[in-house]
C-alpha cells in the first residue's frame, strides 16, 4: 500500500520493464495512477524512467527500470516515496550490476526533485558493483529499527562470494530525515555470523524479501527467500531465512531458517520446488503476530509437475513457528480448480483484508493456469483469514473469463503473475491489483495490463473492476510489444 501524494487514497505504481524510450529497447518505466473515490483514475497520472526530469541515471537499452517496485516513507514526511529496481543497470564495465532509483513523494505526487540513485560501492553502500549481481531484483520496505522512518531491503540474488557464483545477498538501507542513507547500512548472506546455513553457489539468497513483525515486539523483521537452496542432497528445494529487527536494525540474533519437511513444516523438500520464490506477510488469524505465506511454485502435486503450492507459517512470541502451519494447493479441499502441470500456483502472493473483518486474506497467483486449450492464461485464488488462519471456506477464483472481470482469457496472458494490495477508493476494504504482463493489447503482443478488483463486505468483487494499460485514454505512454505493463507493482 502506497500513498504518494498523501491524500489517504492508496495509489498504484505499475512497472513496465520492457518499455522502450526512443530507439532504446527494454529501458523500462513506471506508470503511476492515483487513487480516488472511484478507485484508480487516469487524471494526473505520471510516467517515470531514467530520462525523466530529475531522475538520476540514463535510460539505456536493457536497464529494465521498474522490474521491481516498492513504496515507503523514508523521510517520514507523510508522503510515500517510490523505489524502482533497475537490475539491468550497467555500472562502469560491470554489466547488469543493478541499481535502484528513489523518487520522492509530494502533495503533487512523485517528483524528480531530490531523487537518488544507489548501487553497491557508491556513497558508502557496502559491496561492489559486479556483473550480473542483479541488485534491485527484489525490494521490500519496513521499519526495522522502529524509529518512524521506513527502511529498505534490496535483493542481490546474483551476488558472488569468493569463487561461489549466485550465492545471493540482501542489502539494507535505513531511512532518515534526509531519506534513505548509507549510514549503518547492512549486508546479509548465509556466511554472515549467526545466519543459518552456508553460502553456496546458486542459492540466490534474496530471491524474494518481505517484512513483518512476526514476534510483535514493535520492530519489523525480514523474511528472505532462498529459492535455490539445496536441502541435503535435494537441489534447489528452497528455504527461507528470518532476520529480526532491533533498535540497531536487523540482527542475526535469533534468526531462523525453514524449509519443507524440516521442523514440522508441511510437505517435503524436493528438487526444484523453489520454496521461498515468493513471500507475503499478513496476520491471517488476527492474533497480533504477523504470519508468513511462502510460494512454492515448483511444487509437484502428485504427477502434476510444477503445479505449485503455498506454505503458511504462523507468527508467535518467539518468531515464526511451525505450530499450526498450513499447506495449500489447487487439490486442497474447497479450493477451486485442479492442480495441473506448470500451473505454478504460488508464483505471486499478496495479503490484505478484502472483507474488512480484521483477518488478513491471501491472494495467490497461478500464471501458468490453462483454461481449456488456452495455455498460461493465468488465475488468481483468494483464501480468507479466520481465527484458525487461512481457510478454504468462501475462497474465490478469478480469471479473465470470470463473469464481470475485464478482458478475455488468452494464451500467454499470465494473469496473476504479479499481485499487490491497496485501498484505492479509501472505503476500508482492501483492493487487489493483478498484473497480466503477457496481455496482448489489440495486435500488440505482450504489451501487458493491470486489473483491479475491489474489496467489499463479501470479499473481492468484479463489480466496477478496472483494467489499465498504456493505450487506455489519458494514460501516459504507448502500448508496445513486450512492454510487460503490470510486470511489477507498488
Amino acid at each position: 500500500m502506497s500513498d504518494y501524494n498523501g491524500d489517504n487514497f492508496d495509489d498504484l505504481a505499475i512497472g513496465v520493464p520492457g518499455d522502450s524510450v526512443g530507439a532504446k529497447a527494454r529501458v523500462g518505466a513506471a506508470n503511476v495512477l492515483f487513487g480516488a473515490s472511484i478507485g484508480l483514475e487516469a487524471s494526473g497520472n505520471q510516467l517515470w524512467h531514467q530520462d525523466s526530469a530529475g531522475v538520476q541515471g540514463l535510460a539505456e537499452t536493457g536497464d529494465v527500470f521498474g522490474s521491481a517496485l516498492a513504496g515507503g516513507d523514508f523521510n517520514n514526511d507523510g508522503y510515500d516515496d517510490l523505489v524502482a529496481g533497475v537490475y539491468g543497470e550497467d555500472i562502469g564495465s560491470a554489466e547488469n550490476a543493478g541499481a535502484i532509483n528513489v523518487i520522492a513523494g509530494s502533495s503533487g505526487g512523485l517528483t524528480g526533485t531530490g531523487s537518488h540513485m544507489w548501487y553497491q560501492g557508491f556513497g558508502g553502500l557496502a559491496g561492489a558493483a559486479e556483473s550480473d549481481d542483479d541488485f534491485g531484483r527484489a525490494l521490500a520496505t519496513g521499519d526495522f529499527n522502529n524509529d518512524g522512518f521506513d527502511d529498505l531491503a534490496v535483493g542481490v540474488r546474483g551476488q558472488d562470494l569468493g569463487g561461489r557464483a549466485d550465492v545471493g545477498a540482501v542489502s539494507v538501507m535505513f531511512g532518515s530525515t534526509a531519506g534513505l542513507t548509507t549510514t549503518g547500512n547492512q549486508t546479509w548472506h548465509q556466511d554472515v555470523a549467526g545466519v543459518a546455513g552456508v553460502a553456496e553457489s546458486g542459492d540466490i539468497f534474496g530471491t524474494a524479501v518481505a517484512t513483518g513483525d512476526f514476534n510483535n515486539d514493535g520492530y519489523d523483521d525480514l523474511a528472505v527467500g532462498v529459492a535455490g537452496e539445496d536441502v541435503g542432497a535435494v537441489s534447489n528445494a528452497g528455504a527461507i531465512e528470518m532476520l529480526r529487527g532491533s533498535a540497531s536494525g536487523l540482527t542475526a540474533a535469533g534468526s531462523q531458517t525453514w524449509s519443507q519437511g524440516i521442523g514440522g513444516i508441511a510437505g517435503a523438500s524436493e528438487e526444484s520446488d523453489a520454496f521461498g520464490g515468493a513471500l507475503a506477510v499478513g496476520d491471517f488469524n488476527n492474533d497480533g503476530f504477523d504470519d508468513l505465506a511462502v510460494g512454492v511454485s515448483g511444487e509437484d502435486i502428485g504427477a502434476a509437475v510444477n503445479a505449485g503450492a503455498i506454505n503458511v507459517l504462523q507468527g508467535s512470541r518467539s518468531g515464526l513457528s511451525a505450530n499450526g502451519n498450513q499447506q495449500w494447493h489447487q487439490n486442497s479441499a474447497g479450493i477451486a480448480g485442479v492442480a495441473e502441470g506448470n500451473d505454478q500456483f504460488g508464483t505471486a502472493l499478496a495479503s490484505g483484508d478484502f472483507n474488512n473483518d480484521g483477518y488478513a486474506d491471501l491472494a495467490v497467483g497461478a500464471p501458468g493456469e490453462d483454461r481449456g486449450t488456452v495455455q498460461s492464461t493465468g488465475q488468481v485464488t483468494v483464501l480468507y483469514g479466520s481465527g484458525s488462519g487461512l481457510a478454504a471456506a468462501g475462497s474465490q477464483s478469478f480469471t479473465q473469463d470470470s463473469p464481470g472481470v475485464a478482458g478475455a482469457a488468452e494464451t500467454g496472458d499470465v494473469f496473476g503473475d504479479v499481485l499487490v494490495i491497496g485501498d484505492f477508493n479509501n472505503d476500508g476494504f482492501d483492493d487487489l491489483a493483478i498484473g497480466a504482463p503477457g496481455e496482448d493489447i489489440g495486435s500488440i503482443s505482450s504489451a501487458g495490463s493491470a486489473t483491479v478488483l475491489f474489496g467489499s463486505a463479501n470479499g473481492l468483487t468484479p463489480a466496477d473492476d478496472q483494467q489499465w494499460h498504456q493505450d487506455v485514454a489519458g494514460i501516459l505512454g504507448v502500448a508496445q510489444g513486450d512492454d510487460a505493463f503490470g510486470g511489477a507493482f507498488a
Side-chain angles (χ1 to χ4, degrees), residues 4-61:
Y4 301 117
N5 58 2
D7 65 354
N8 296 317
F9 293 91
D10 284 335
D11 310 313
L12 182 65
I14 304 171
V16 197
D19 208 6
S20 300
V21 176
K24 295 171 285 189
R26 298 183 65 245
V27 164
N31 283 84
V32 180
L33 305 178
F34 293 94
S37 58
I38 61 170
L40 296 173
E41 61 180 8
S43 177
N45 78 96
Q46 300 177 312
L47 180 66
W48 295 95
H49 48 69
Q50 286 184 308
D51 278 355
S52 298
V55 176
Q56 296 184 5
L58 180 66
E60 300 163 312
T61 297

Side-chain angles (χ1 to χ4, degrees), residues 30-423:
N31 283 84
V32 180
L33 305 178
F34 293 94
S37 58
I38 61 170
L40 296 173
E41 61 180 8
S43 177
N45 78 96
Q46 300 177 312
L47 180 66
W48 295 95
H49 48 69
Q50 286 184 308
D51 278 355
S52 298
V55 176
Q56 296 184 5
L58 180 66
E60 300 163 312
T61 297
D63 278 351
V64 291
F65 177 100
S67 48
L69 298 170
D73 189 359
F74 305 116
N75 58 359
N76 194 23
D77 65 353
Y79 305 102
D80 281 332
D81 313 308
L82 177 66
V83 184
V86 198
Y87 77 83
E89 181 82 20
D90 297 343
I91 306 298
S93 61
E95 296 183 352
N96 302 323
I100 58 170
N101 282 95
V102 183
I103 305 172
S106 75
S107 59
L110 294 174
T111 173
T113 302
S115 71
H116 295 280
M117 180 175 176
W118 302 97
Y119 48 86
Q120 289 181 299
F122 172 75
L125 189 62
E130 300 165 315
S131 292
D132 299 319
D133 273 353
D134 286 356
F135 180 90
R137 189 73 175 262
L139 303 168
T141 57
D143 190 358
F144 303 124
N145 55 4
N146 193 24
D147 64 355
F149 299 95
D150 281 340
D151 311 313
L152 179 69
V154 183
V156 199
R157 57 180 285 169
Q159 181 82 45
D160 299 342
L161 286 175
R164 296 160 292 177
D166 299 333
V167 165
V170 173
S171 181
V172 177
M173 301 175 68
F174 293 94
S176 71
T177 54
L180 286 176
T181 173
T182 58
T183 301
N185 75 93
Q186 301 176 311
T187 298
W188 296 95
H189 50 71
Q190 288 180 305
D191 276 358
V192 172
V195 176
V198 177
E200 301 164 312
S201 294
D203 278 350
I204 51 176
F205 183 96
T207 308
V209 285
T211 62
D213 189 359
F214 302 118
N215 59 359
N216 193 22
D217 66 352
Y219 300 97
D220 280 338
D221 310 310
L222 180 67
V224 182
V226 197
E229 178 84 10
D230 297 345
V231 178
V234 182
S235 62
N236 301 320
I240 59 166
E241 298 271 357
M242 192 275 284
L243 303 173
R244 296 182 190 273
S246 75
S248 57
L250 292 174
T251 173
S255 68
Q256 300 175 302
T257 184
W258 301 94
S259 53
Q260 287 182 306
I262 296 177
I265 299 300
S269 292
E270 299 164 315
E271 186 172 350
S272 300
D273 274 353
F275 179 88
L279 302 170
V281 174
D283 188 358
F284 304 122
N285 57 4
N286 194 24
D287 65 353
F289 300 95
D290 281 337
D291 311 313
L292 181 67
V294 183
V296 199
S297 61
E299 180 85 16
D300 298 344
I301 305 298
V305 177
N306 298 330
I310 61 167
N311 284 82
V312 181
L313 284 74
Q314 306 293 330
S316 73
R317 197 166 302 281
S318 59
L320 292 174
S321 170
N323 292 334
N325 78 93
Q326 302 173 311
Q327 187 179 56
W328 298 94
H329 47 73
Q330 288 183 299
N331 280 359
S332 298
I335 302 299
V338 175
E340 300 165 311
N342 298 315
D343 278 351
Q344 297 182 322
F345 182 89
T347 293
L349 303 170
S351 173
D353 190 356
F354 303 123
N355 56 4
N356 194 23
D357 65 354
Y359 299 95
D361 312 311
L362 184 69
V364 184
E369 179 80 21
D370 299 340
R371 298 280 296 168
T373 60
V374 182
Q375 296 182 338
S376 299
T377 183
Q379 177 176 292
V380 174
T381 299
V382 181
L383 301 173
Y384 286 88
S386 72
S388 57
L390 293 175
S395 66
Q396 298 174 294
S397 178
F398 297 98
T399 72
Q400 287 185 301
D401 278 352
S402 296
V405 175
E410 300 163 315
T411 296
D413 280 349
V414 292
F415 180 84
D417 193 54
V418 183
L419 303 169
V420 78
I421 305 299
D423 187 0

